[in-house]
Amino acid sequence: MIPIEFFRQFRVGEYAVFDFVVAFLGIFILSPLLSKLFSKIKLNIPRKSWVYLTLPIGIISHLLAGSITPLTRDFIDIHSHYILKIIIFGLIFFGTKDIRIIRKSHQ
């Protein structure tokens, strides 16, 4: 068995725990770099916001890439999975509430 397949066999429902761990760990590690890049376009995005936005960004990126994962499929299903939708919209709310526009200081 290929090692990644071994790690992906551990699941909560139909979602692989490994995918969530890698996504959150990746965003946590990359968040200082991402915040620095976004500061160049005058947005202050704290690390906490990046962590909250991990799943919504993942869903958007999978939709844009045309790779429909179980989480993406469940989110775009308009007839069910309402708890998931509430969680994702809650993550969007908490992820965006601390984002600030950087204003030019007058010195």
Side-chain angles (χ1 to χ4, degrees):
M1 181 183 307
I2 298 174
I4 196 165
E5 291 174 1
F6 171 75
F7 290 121
R8 292 193 81 235
Q9 77 181 356
F10 302 102
R11 299 182 171 273
V12 174
E14 56 184 315
Y15 308 125
V17 174
F18 177 76
D19 295 344
F20 286 105
V21 170
V22 169
F24 282 105
L25 187 61
I27 286 290
F28 185 77
I29 291 170
L30 290 175
S31 62
L33 175 64
L34 292 170
S35 292
K36 190 171 189 169
L37 288 172
F38 274 81
S39 70
K40 296 197 183 300
I41 60 168
K42 307 288 189 218
L43 285 177
N44 179 27
I45 306 175
R47 176 177 271 181
K48 180 175 64 171
S49 292
W50 285 113
V51 173
Y52 280 129
L53 292 171
T54 301
L55 293 180
I57 289 170
I59 290 171
I60 291 168
S61 60
H62 281 101
L63 285 172
L64 291 174
S67 172
I68 304 300
T69 63
L71 183 69
T72 306
R73 181 196 64 226
D74 292 346
F75 182 74
I76 62 175
D77 179 8
I78 60 173
H79 299 293
S80 63
H81 304 286
Y82 300 113
I83 302 271
L84 173 65
K85 290 170 181 56
I86 291 168
I87 290 170
I88 297 299
F89 284 118
L91 289 171
I92 292 169
F93 171 76
F94 287 113
T96 57
K97 76 179 181 80
D98 292 329
I99 296 175
R100 302 285 179 250
I101 296 173
I102 300 171
R103 305 230 187 259
K104 197 174 196 179
S105 62
H106 300 285
Q107 294 180 351

